[in-house]
Amino acid sequence: MITKYKPLASSRGGRTTKTQTTKTNVKPIARPFRSIRAKPEHIIDSKNKLRIMCLGGLEEVGRNMTVMEYDDDIIIIDMGLQFPEEDMPGIDYIIPDISYLKNKADKIRGVIITHGHYDHIGAIPHLIGQLGNPPIFTGKLTAGLIRKRCEEFRQCPKLNIAEINETSSLQLGKAFKVEFLRVNHSIPDSFAVVVNTPIGVIIHTGDFKIDYSPVNDKPADLNRIAQIGGKGVLFLMSDSTDSTESGYQISESSIGDEIDKLFEKITGRIIIGTFASQLSRIQKIFDLAHKHGRKIYLQGRSMNGNVEIAHQIGYLKFNPRILIRDAELRQSPDDKIIILGTGAQAEANAFLMRVVNREHRLISLKPGDTVIFSSSIIPGNERTIQNLKDMIVRQGAKVIHYIMMDVHAGGHAKQEDLKLMMRLLKPKYFLPIEGSHYMLRAHAELAEQVGIAKENIFVADNGQIIEFSKRGEETVGRLTEEKAPTDYVMVDGLGVGDVSNIVLRDRRVMSEDGMIVVIATIDSKTGEPIGNPDIISRGFVYMKENRELIESTRMRVKKIVKEHDPRVPANDDYIKNKIRNDVGQFLFSRTKRRPMVLPVVIKV
Amino acid sequence: MITKYKPLASSRGGRTTKTQTTKTNVKPIARPFRSIRAKPEHIIDSKNKLRIMCLGGLEEVGRNMTVMEYDDDIIIIDMGLQFPEEDMPGIDYIIPDISYLKNKADKIRGVIITHGHYDHIGAIPHLIGQLGNPPIFTGKLTAGLIRKRCEEFRQCPKLNIAEINETSSLQLGKAFKVEFLRVNHSIPDSFAVVVNTPIGVIIHTGDFKIDYSPVNDKPADLNRIAQIGGKGVLFLMSDSTDSTESGYQISESSIGDEIDKLFEKITGRIIIGTFASQLSRIQKIFDLAHKHGRKIYLQGRSMNGNVEIAHQIGYLKFNPRILIRDAELRQSPDDKIIILGTGAQAEANAFLMRVVNREHRLISLKPGDTVIFSSSIIPGNERTIQNLKDMIVRQGAKVIHYIMMDVHAGGHAKQEDLKLMMRLLKPKYFLPIEGSHYMLRAHAELAEQVGIAKENIFVADNGQIIEFSKRGEETVGRLTEEKAPTDYVMVDGLGVGDVSNIVLRDRRVMSEDGMIVVIATIDSKTGEPIGNPDIISRGFVYMKENRELIESTRMRVKKIVKEHDPRVPANDDYIKNKIRNDVGQFLFSRTKRRPMVLPVVIKV
């Protein structure tokens, strides 16, 4: 199947008003009228060059987004989100900075999504409208998951999604002919992307593992990968998530065997926590439920949603009668039940946490229950998961985690798998992607080990532009010094990009030592203080137990105001600064804490 | 050597004034005058009973403190701190709640410290004074570390420390005869405690591992442990930290061999980050430095302090000429240098972090350097350590972590070691200690496996009292329902126990969505607003970019004040609540954030 896709400007929203502003502070990118004069960015020396950059995913695990540009054509691979770092309190997630694409919306020929995880699809609702709503090309399951995610966002336009599979071939603009390679991952319908360009073949692996016996998915097509390698690959961009892990990734089916053995031993209820997106694992659990004569009670909004979508389109295969509702759950004997839910990362409102907090309307734990954590620990969640396990065993249930028995197979290729991919594809140039800098370096070392020339291995930062051009017959690549902007764009509630570093810094300061508001009321005629200053403290000390400290602070403030020369026109900033410094130092000397001091001067 | 220690009341500070208060809000425990009437707590039915409780260490890793009480005699084992949980922003650490010991200071015959780590000694400066400064019994190295820690605290009294070793025997009060068993751990001079009581032998292992070939320490004395087991042990309290880990702990010397191999391959500078308290590892590094002809440049205050103490008392053996200072560091070739410092947990101000932040006055990383992380990752530090590694490799150095090569051996017994300890001691009753509830349960299961009667295995909570008494010839133990208070006592700056849950909750709220102060000035005669309300926001939205939102909020507040019926005597709380609710809802509807709203009403 060859799908030629050459979108017309009018099919993607046409004109947008330039001054449009929204409540959510998303700054829309105005799309210019199509005219020859409106393309000043086409400078002659960038002609016939292929420019590739990752707007995210080279300095973190997450926020994956790759841009390829050749003359008038741009394609994008993935548009993901990143979960916030520990020093970003209150932030929901981070999305890529798309400033580079500003005024280039009319060149975007398509967005290719490799698979349905949030670090690859999560930013679509926020960004696709700003990019002129270009068409999205992706697998069937991923399409379903993207549509579902967009339903949650009012600002997301009606998407234009075309489904592809491993036989699809797309002509996107003049420059790009795109094909797809099936790979394995922890979710079905994962593809690597083969981009045929005027100056060579580029391969982007997406997230992948090599699984010769995957569950509910076809194995990675190694023959075709080898064939493509045989024809010559200019540039490979490959998943680095597990590049520091030695050996081979475990097959999902061998994990299935482990879970099977577990199920045989358990006589009470089985409660399983996993990611709703781990659809291969979920399929295996359905299969084993059937085998062991157990019914499945599904829990968690995302779990229900994903299972429904995947079942509808045939990616999850089970007899609907295996699913039970409340009434049947109550009647079924314990050894006939599997409760499958979310929350193995100890997420605050997920199923498992609600159960142990006794907030679940139907389920509470009891002796005889076995809770299986069937997902690896996301770094940073260790302590909350430990607390969750404590609470579970306190309530009499057993806990089995993959550390104790190998209930977990990761979704990413490990060192030997990564080497295999490179050996098969034999790329001339190589860019490790999808990992922190440390992981990229580890992957780069593997590339050297399999014989890729050291000078052709690029370890790049987010936004750093890699340029390929013909030099005679040969195509030459180089990592340029040029860098597209890649600021953090933070999503917090409805706001996108409106939480600045100042706001974050304030949150951090207040979370460490709290804050204190000092309100001095001044007679504007005499400059004398009226009454005693008001003091409010939050997160600093408990005021009721620290009357003396608060009273001393009050007196200091009063003194500062009084001592201010009334003949000098009262300068608020001066008094405020004096209060801030004086009170700050005083409180530090007394408590060794540094609350944020907020002086307010009111004149009446 | 038999040391009889029967302290007189007068030797430990005698009378203290009851109303003494300090700046630091430590509530001192008043010690009553000694008189027969002053002992109402001696109720008849608690006579001849042994009561044991852990004031910390049964619901966490850390804050270890065990109390044993028999009639008029009390002994304490360990007095440690716990590092704060993730939902305790700004807290330095947590110490045990000693309310149970209030008014019992005159009964405390001694404090035994098993080894020199902070989770066993860290609370001494805060608590020892409140307990009447009883004598401390501990190993030579631990004594040095305790003295050093106490120097940092003004409130710490002059300590009364007696050094012990494996031949010591102490009579503490009438009830307790205490002996010591040498065990291995990641610091030398670690002891298990054998407490001979009128109704049986109690053993407290402290932290331990079994190492047949320890570095710079004697192996655990298995023969004597077996002997004691042969005579009959009533009750064993044993370290659960690694009770979920299968197999045997690795010997420190085999780790040494691994590091040796590493050193052979490295031609540039070697930079090692580890804990300053991991003195066995540090000894090995000194030995290997000698072997490989390298000099050692020590970095980090705690590293320098600990090495000095341990060297002085002969626990760390090296030729002082192996240590070099700045001048020699500058002159030495790279392959003759080892830089040994702190910061492998990515602690903010430790040596490694200062180097990568280019804040170190002498050392910056360069290609050819190898940085070795020689300590396991404390749960919760994963992401910051990942960032640290990223920064290191960015600056051209290589990173080796124990995940990649086994540079790490833990200090705690794993499952098979724990079983060995139980098999040798054959206790009648068993209490897993030093771990989260989940770890305690895992340890309890092991105890069942080695044949301890299930009903004699206690999985207790902090403060829960275990009571032993004679029933005829037999001693019977039971886990009572009685529970000593074990609230979190949080240390924050100079304050101890003054950060309440309310303060912490406020810090959490402000760290998530910031706060907004709304100040309405009202004419006290008319009830009319004077001017426009003042608004200050921090950590919520950036005010300059959200003028419209702030202005709308201002107008809403003005309206609330205006609409307040001036004939009703203006009730501040009513107006404040109205402002808080109204503004909170308004801001949530516009931003989906919930900042803390602080209304202030000023009447003039």
Side-chain angles (χ1 to χ4, degrees):
Chain A
M1 180 180 81
I2 297 202
T3 318
K4 288 208 178 183
Y5 200 96
K6 256 193 152 176
L8 296 168
S10 60
S11 75
R12 298 194 270 117
R15 301 171 189 183
T16 56
T17 50
K18 207 170 176 179
T19 52
Q20 177 189 348
T21 54
T22 70
K23 273 183 194 173
T24 60
N25 298 308
V26 180
K27 299 210 183 67
I29 294 174
R31 296 183 54 231
F33 300 98
R34 288 200 133 214
S35 83
I36 290 161
R37 274 175 304 174
K39 291 172 186 172
E41 64 270 31
H42 290 182
I43 305 153
I44 288 158
D45 75 346
S46 75
K47 253 311 197 199
N48 300 329
K49 283 184 176 167
L50 174 65
R51 290 154 67 81
I52 299 181
M53 74 208 74
C54 298
L55 296 180
L58 298 188
E59 297 170 27
E60 60 274 305
V61 175
R63 195 162 43 124
N64 296 294
M65 181 166 177
T66 300
V67 174
M68 297 189 188
E69 185 176 26
Y70 188 94
D71 291 351
D72 279 353
D73 296 318
I74 288 175
I75 60 171
I76 294 168
I77 300 178
D78 289 334
M79 207 175 277
L81 59 77
Q82 178 198 349
F83 291 101
E85 301 288 335
E86 282 161 3
D87 58 354
M88 302 174 185
I91 298 299
D92 299 337
Y93 46 83
I94 302 156
I95 57 175
D97 179 343
I98 54 169
S99 313
Y100 180 83
L101 296 169
K102 203 165 174 167
N103 299 327
K104 292 184 181 139
D106 59 335
K107 293 173 155 196
I108 299 171
R109 308 299 166 213
V111 176
I112 295 146
I113 304 291
T114 58
H115 65 283
H117 285 157
Y118 277 9
D119 52 340
H120 296 257
I121 69 169
I124 294 174
H126 301 287
L127 301 181
I128 200 87
Q130 297 182 57
L131 296 172
N133 199 18
I136 294 171
F137 303 96
T138 194
K140 193 173 186 178
L141 175 63
T142 315
L145 296 170
I146 294 172
R147 284 192 194 99
K148 175 168 156 269
R149 179 158 172 85
C150 274
E151 280 168 16
E152 295 164 20
F153 293 85
R154 270 182 310 169
Q155 76 265 38
C156 188
K158 185 165 163 30
L159 298 176
N160 180 0
I161 306 183
E163 286 167 18
I164 55 87
N165 62 31
E166 62 269 39
T167 67
S168 306
S169 174
L170 313 169
Q171 183 68 41
L172 297 180
K174 281 185 210 156
F176 301 112
K177 190 181 150 217
V178 177
E179 297 169 301
F180 300 88
L181 277 169
R182 192 168 284 280
V183 291
N184 302 116
H185 188 42
S186 48
I187 187 168
D189 249 8
S190 293
F191 292 96
V193 187
V194 184
V195 184
N196 301 281
T197 77
I199 53 176
V201 174
I202 317 293
I203 298 191
H204 183 296
T205 65
D207 285 3
F208 81 100
K209 70 188 271 190
I210 291 168
D211 194 337
Y212 304 112
S213 52
V215 172
N216 191 32
D217 198 8
K218 297 168 199 166
D221 189 348
L222 293 185
N223 286 336
R224 206 170 140 221
I225 292 174
Q227 261 174 25
I228 291 171
K231 286 190 228 153
V233 171
L234 175 65
F235 186 48
L236 171 64
M237 309 170 75
S238 181
D239 176 9
S240 309
T241 315
D242 268 1
S243 65
T244 58
E245 303 281 323
S246 61
Y248 297 91
Q249 186 53 273
I250 306 163
S251 167
E252 184 66 27
S253 57
S254 67
I255 297 305
D257 296 345
E258 289 296 321
I259 303 179
D260 191 4
K261 280 183 221 155
L262 264 182
F263 277 20
E264 260 164 36
K265 286 189 223 150
I266 301 171
T267 51
R269 291 195 299 187
I270 296 172
I271 297 161
I272 302 177
T274 191
F275 290 115
S277 59
Q278 227 167 1
L279 281 167
S280 309
R281 185 70 41 87
I282 293 169
Q283 174 72 60
K284 193 74 202 180
I285 292 164
F286 272 90
D287 295 349
L288 289 172
H290 177 74
K291 178 178 168 189
H292 292 271
R294 286 179 184 254
K295 299 281 186 181
I296 290 181
Y297 182 73
L298 273 189
Q299 282 297 297
R301 202 171 58 97
S302 56
M303 184 63 85
N304 274 292
N306 283 4
V307 166
E308 195 187 324
I309 290 171
H311 188 240
Q312 266 172 15
I313 62 179
Y315 271 90
L316 207 53
K317 293 179 188 68
F318 59 84
N319 180 337
R321 289 173 56 194
I322 205 165
L323 287 176
I324 55 170
R325 308 248 158 217
D326 295 2
E328 287 163 281
L329 179 73
R330 285 199 200 89
Q331 290 156 13
S332 302
D334 288 352
D335 64 348
K336 297 292 174 217
I337 296 174
I338 291 173
I339 298 168
L340 179 57
T342 53
Q345 299 296 322
E347 302 95 325
N349 296 312
F351 164 69
L352 273 182
M353 198 56 103
R354 281 188 288 127
V355 169
V356 298
N357 286 335
R358 304 187 192 278
E359 290 166 5
H360 193 281
R361 74 196 152 75
L362 217 63
I363 299 166
S364 60
L365 294 176
K366 61 183 182 187
D369 287 348
T370 303
V371 180
I372 301 174
F373 282 69
S374 184
S375 68
S376 59
I377 299 177
I378 292 178
N381 293 349
E382 288 76 8
R383 289 181 81 159
T384 40
I385 292 175
Q386 183 59 55
N387 289 341
L388 176 62
K389 286 188 204 166
D390 279 0
M391 289 191 279
I392 291 169
V393 295
R394 268 182 192 283
Q395 293 172 22
K398 278 202 166 215
V399 167
I400 294 174
H401 205 166
Y402 79 103
I403 302 165
M404 296 155 71
M405 181 175 266
D406 216 348
V407 194
H408 182 75
H412 300 274
K414 293 189 177 178
Q415 291 182 344
E416 297 306 312
D417 307 308
L418 294 171
K419 288 188 207 163
L420 174 60
M421 184 60 96
M422 293 187 274
R423 287 271 187 215
L424 290 175
L425 287 173
K426 294 179 288 182
K428 184 174 172 191
Y429 292 93
F430 177 68
L431 178 79
I433 58 171
E434 298 171 356
S436 68
H437 192 78
Y438 182 65
M439 296 170 190
L440 304 186
R441 290 262 181 186
H443 202 173
E445 271 176 37
L446 296 177
E448 251 189 278
Q449 285 171 29
V450 298
I452 300 176
K454 191 171 181 179
E455 63 276 16
N456 290 357
I457 301 169
F458 305 136
V459 176
D461 283 344
N462 285 337
Q464 211 176 345
I465 292 167
I466 296 157
E467 199 175 72
F468 293 96
S469 55
K470 286 272 181 197
R471 196 175 293 165
E473 279 305 285
E474 212 191 357
T475 304
V476 182
R478 65 188 186 93
L479 187 64
T480 69
E481 292 297 304
E482 199 183 339
K483 209 174 156 304
T486 55
D487 288 343
Y488 283 126
V489 178
M490 290 181 264
V491 178
D492 180 4
L494 290 180
V496 178
D498 69 333
V499 173
S500 62
N501 284 329
I502 296 170
V503 170
L504 274 188
R505 190 202 56 199
D506 288 346
R507 286 185 188 174
R508 283 194 296 263
V509 169
M510 293 189 294
S511 81
E512 285 289 310
D513 286 327
M515 61 101 199
I516 182 162
V517 185
V518 178
I519 303 154
T521 316
I522 302 182
D523 186 317
S524 56
K525 284 176 206 148
T526 64
E528 287 289 307
I530 300 177
N532 280 331
D534 284 290
I535 289 184
I536 304 172
S537 123
R538 287 290 185 280
F540 167 50
V541 295
Y542 194 45
M543 284 177 79
K544 286 191 182 161
E545 293 180 355
N546 288 278
R547 291 192 191 284
E548 188 272 331
L549 182 69
I550 298 298
E551 203 47 42
S552 305
T553 307
R554 206 191 301 278
M555 289 309 113
R556 293 183 88 85
V557 174
K558 195 166 182 175
K559 195 156 163 271
I560 291 170
V561 177
K562 255 190 179 328
E563 282 173 1
H564 183 71
D565 187 340
R567 287 165 304 181
V568 179
N571 181 337
D572 283 6
D573 281 349
Y574 176 82
I575 297 183
K576 279 188 194 170
N577 281 335
K578 194 144 170 44
I579 294 174
R580 190 181 292 116
N581 293 336
D582 192 278
V583 169
Q585 277 170 29
F586 170 69
L587 294 176
F588 181 73
S589 74
R590 288 286 294 272
T591 64
K592 290 273 178 291
R593 295 179 202 167
R594 295 189 187 283
M596 178 183 283
V597 179
L598 291 173
V600 181
V601 173
I602 294 187
K603 290 197 195 143
V604 286
Chain B
M1 181 180 78
I2 296 203
T3 317
K4 286 206 180 187
Y5 200 95
K6 252 192 155 178
L8 297 168
S10 60
S11 75
R12 300 194 269 116
R15 302 172 190 182
T16 56
T17 48
K18 210 172 176 175
T19 52
Q20 177 190 347
T21 55
T22 68
K23 274 185 193 173
T24 59
N25 298 308
V26 181
K27 298 207 184 67
I29 293 174
R31 298 183 51 234
F33 301 99
R34 287 201 135 214
S35 85
I36 290 161
R37 274 175 306 174
K39 292 173 183 169
E41 63 271 28
H42 291 181
I43 305 154
I44 289 158
D45 74 346
S46 75
K47 255 308 197 202
N48 299 328
K49 282 184 177 169
L50 173 66
R51 290 154 67 84
I52 299 181
M53 72 209 74
C54 298
L55 295 180
L58 298 187
E59 297 171 26
E60 59 275 306
V61 175
R63 195 161 45 123
N64 296 294
M65 181 166 178
T66 300
V67 174
M68 297 190 188
E69 184 176 27
Y70 189 95
D71 291 351
D72 279 353
D73 297 317
I74 287 175
I75 60 171
I76 294 169
I77 300 178
D78 290 332
M79 206 176 276
L81 60 76
Q82 177 198 351
F83 290 101
E85 301 287 336
E86 281 161 4
D87 57 355
M88 302 175 184
I91 297 300
D92 300 337
Y93 46 83
I94 303 156
I95 58 176
D97 179 344
I98 54 168
S99 314
Y100 180 82
L101 297 169
K102 202 166 174 166
N103 299 328
K104 292 184 180 138
D106 59 336
K107 294 171 152 198
I108 300 172
R109 307 301 165 210
V111 176
I112 295 146
I113 303 292
T114 57
H115 65 283
H117 284 158
Y118 277 10
D119 52 339
H120 295 258
I121 70 169
I124 294 174
H126 302 287
L127 302 181
I128 200 85
Q130 296 181 59
L131 296 171
N133 198 18
I136 294 171
F137 303 96
T138 194
K140 193 174 187 177
L141 174 65
T142 314
L145 295 170
I146 293 172
R147 285 191 193 100
K148 176 168 155 268
R149 179 158 172 84
C150 273
E151 281 169 13
E152 296 164 20
F153 293 85
R154 270 181 311 169
Q155 76 265 37
C156 189
K158 183 162 164 34
L159 297 177
N160 180 1
I161 306 183
E163 285 168 19
I164 55 88
N165 62 30
E166 62 268 40
T167 67
S168 307
S169 174
L170 314 169
Q171 184 69 41
L172 298 179
K174 281 185 207 155
F176 301 112
K177 188 179 152 219
V178 177
E179 298 169 300
F180 300 87
L181 276 170
R182 192 168 282 280
V183 292
N184 302 116
H185 188 42
S186 49
I187 188 167
D189 248 10
S190 293
F191 292 96
V193 186
V194 184
V195 184
N196 300 281
T197 76
I199 54 176
V201 174
I202 316 292
I203 297 190
H204 183 296
T205 65
D207 284 3
F208 81 100
K209 70 188 272 190
I210 291 168
D211 194 334
Y212 304 111
S213 51
V215 172
N216 191 33
D217 198 8
K218 296 167 200 167
D221 189 349
L222 294 185
N223 286 336
R224 204 169 142 225
I225 292 173
Q227 262 174 25
I228 292 171
K231 287 189 228 153
V233 170
L234 175 65
F235 185 47
L236 171 65
M237 308 169 76
S238 181
D239 176 9
S240 311
T241 315
D242 267 2
S243 65
T244 59
E245 303 281 320
S246 61
Y248 297 90
Q249 186 54 272
I250 305 163
S251 167
E252 185 65 27
S253 57
S254 67
I255 296 305
D257 297 344
E258 289 297 321
I259 302 180
D260 192 4
K261 280 184 222 157
L262 262 182
F263 277 19
E264 261 164 36
K265 286 188 222 151
I266 300 171
T267 52
R269 293 195 297 187
I270 296 174
I271 297 160
I272 304 177
T274 191
F275 290 114
S277 59
Q278 227 167 1
L279 281 166
S280 309
R281 185 71 40 88
I282 292 170
Q283 174 71 62
K284 193 75 201 179
I285 291 165
F286 272 90
D287 294 348
L288 290 172
H290 177 72
K291 178 178 168 188
H292 292 272
R294 286 178 184 254
K295 299 280 187 183
I296 290 181
Y297 182 74
L298 273 189
Q299 282 297 297
R301 201 170 59 96
S302 56
M303 184 64 83
N304 273 293
N306 283 4
V307 166
E308 195 187 324
I309 291 171
H311 187 241
Q312 266 171 14
I313 61 179
Y315 271 89
L316 207 51
K317 294 179 187 69
F318 58 85
N319 181 337
R321 289 174 56 194
I322 205 166
L323 286 177
I324 55 172
R325 307 247 159 220
D326 295 2
E328 287 164 281
L329 180 72
R330 284 200 200 88
Q331 290 154 14
S332 303
D334 288 353
D335 63 348
K336 298 291 172 218
I337 296 173
I338 292 173
I339 299 167
L340 178 58
T342 53
Q345 299 297 321
E347 303 94 325
N349 295 312
F351 164 68
L352 274 182
M353 198 57 103
R354 282 188 287 126
V355 169
V356 298
N357 285 336
R358 305 188 191 279
E359 290 166 5
H360 193 281
R361 73 195 152 77
L362 215 63
I363 298 167
S364 60
L365 295 177
K366 60 184 183 187
D369 287 347
T370 302
V371 180
I372 301 175
F373 282 69
S374 184
S375 69
S376 59
I377 299 176
I378 293 178
N381 293 349
E382 289 76 7
R383 289 182 78 160
T384 40
I385 292 175
Q386 183 60 54
N387 288 342
L388 176 62
K389 287 188 204 166
D390 280 0
M391 289 191 280
I392 292 170
V393 295
R394 266 180 193 284
Q395 293 172 23
K398 275 200 170 221
V399 168
I400 295 174
H401 205 166
Y402 80 103
I403 301 164
M404 295 156 71
M405 181 175 266
D406 216 348
V407 195
H408 181 75
H412 300 273
K414 293 189 177 179
Q415 292 182 343
E416 298 307 312
D417 308 306
L418 295 171
K419 288 188 206 164
L420 174 60
M421 184 61 96
M422 293 188 274
R423 287 272 187 214
L424 290 175
L425 287 172
K426 293 179 288 182
K428 184 174 172 191
Y429 291 94
F430 177 68
L431 178 79
I433 58 171
E434 298 171 358
S436 67
H437 192 78
Y438 182 66
M439 296 169 189
L440 304 186
R441 290 262 181 186
H443 202 173
E445 270 177 37
L446 297 177
E448 250 190 279
Q449 284 172 30
V450 298
I452 300 176
K454 192 172 179 177
E455 63 276 16
N456 290 356
I457 300 168
F458 304 137
V459 176
D461 282 344
N462 284 337
Q464 208 175 349
I465 291 167
I466 296 157
E467 199 175 74
F468 293 96
S469 56
K470 286 271 183 199
R471 195 176 292 164
E473 279 307 284
E474 212 190 356
T475 304
V476 181
R478 65 186 185 93
L479 186 63
T480 70
E481 292 298 303
E482 200 183 338
K483 209 175 155 303
T486 54
D487 287 343
Y488 281 127
V489 179
M490 290 179 266
V491 178
D492 180 5
L494 289 181
V496 178
D498 70 333
V499 173
S500 61
N501 284 329
I502 295 170
V503 170
L504 275 189
R505 190 203 56 200
D506 288 346
R507 287 185 187 173
R508 283 195 294 265
V509 169
M510 292 189 295
S511 79
E512 285 288 309
D513 286 327
M515 62 100 197
I516 182 162
V517 185
V518 179
I519 304 154
T521 316
I522 302 184
D523 186 318
S524 56
K525 285 176 205 146
T526 64
E528 285 289 308
I530 298 177
N532 279 332
D534 285 291
I535 289 184
I536 304 172
S537 123
R538 289 288 185 280
F540 166 48
V541 295
Y542 194 45
M543 283 177 80
K544 286 192 181 159
E545 290 180 358
N546 288 277
R547 291 192 191 286
E548 188 272 332
L549 183 68
I550 300 298
E551 203 47 41
S552 305
T553 307
R554 206 191 299 278
M555 289 308 113
R556 292 184 88 86
V557 174
K558 195 165 183 178
K559 195 157 163 273
I560 291 170
V561 177
K562 255 190 180 328
E563 281 173 2
H564 183 71
D565 188 341
R567 287 165 303 182
V568 179
N571 181 335
D572 283 6
D573 282 348
Y574 176 82
I575 296 185
K576 278 188 195 170
N577 280 335
K578 194 144 170 40
I579 293 174
R580 188 182 292 117
N581 293 335
D582 192 279
V583 169
Q585 277 171 29
F586 171 68
L587 294 176
F588 181 72
S589 74
R590 289 283 295 269
T591 65
K592 289 277 178 289
R593 296 179 202 167
R594 295 189 187 284
M596 178 184 281
V597 179
L598 292 173
V600 181
V601 173
I602 293 187
K603 289 199 195 142
V604 288

